[in-house]
Amino acid sequence: MSPSCVPNFADLLRSAEHTAVHLEMRDSYGIRDEEGGFTEFLRTGRADPDPDSAHWRGWIPLVRETVARGVRIRRARIVSEPVTDYIRWEHAQTSMNISVGEQVRWLPRRLASDIAVPGNDLWLIDGRRVVFHWFTGDGDWAGHERTEDPDIVRMAAAAFEAVWDRGIDHAKFAV
C-alpha cells in the first residue's frame, strides 16, 4: 500500500467546521491496518472495546477532538443482507464510534435501489468539499480524490441525505 493512497483523516476532520459525513458502500474492506482486529473478531466474536488500544489510537482522539469543536459527524453504511463477517465486525465495534460522538445508521442495500449514489465511498466536509475513496477489488486503499465542484458536492450531499433518511439507527439495526 502506497502512503499516498491513504488520505490524511486528521487533516480532513480538523478542516471541518460544522459537519463531516461519511458514506460507506462496500460489504468488506481489506485495509491492512485492520487485519489484526478483524482476525481477532473472527476468532473470538468480540470487537476491541478499549479506546486506548492500538486499533483505536488514531481514530478515537481525533473524533473526540472534532466533536468537541462542535462538528456533527454522521456515518451511513449501505450493506447487503445477510451481512458479511466484515460488516458484523463493523457493527460490533460501532458502539465505540457512537461513544465518542459519531452518529451511525445502516441501510440494507435492498432499500437503496432507487437512490442515486456515487460509485465510491466518500467524506463530505461542511457541505462544500468531498473526498472520494477508491479501493482495490480486495478492499485495500487504491487512492482518493478531493473536489469542491459544486455539482459533485450537491450530488454527494443528496446521496448521503437520502441514505441517512432511510437508514436505521445503529441501536435498532440487528446483524
Side-chain angles (χ1 to χ4, degrees), residues 82-100:
V83 299
T84 62
D85 286 341
Y86 186 92
I87 294 300
R88 284 189 321 103
W89 177 56
E90 278 194 332
H91 189 271
Q93 63 184 358
T94 294
S95 59
M96 186 68 69
N97 298 77
I98 291 169
S99 74
V100 295

Side-chain angles (χ1 to χ4, degrees), residues 104-125:
V104 180
R105 291 188 183 174
W106 303 80
L107 182 63
R109 194 170 307 281
R110 64 185 162 73
L111 301 177
S113 296
D114 62 340
I115 299 174
V117 294
N120 297 290
D121 289 11
L122 64 88
W123 277 93
L124 173 63
I125 304 298

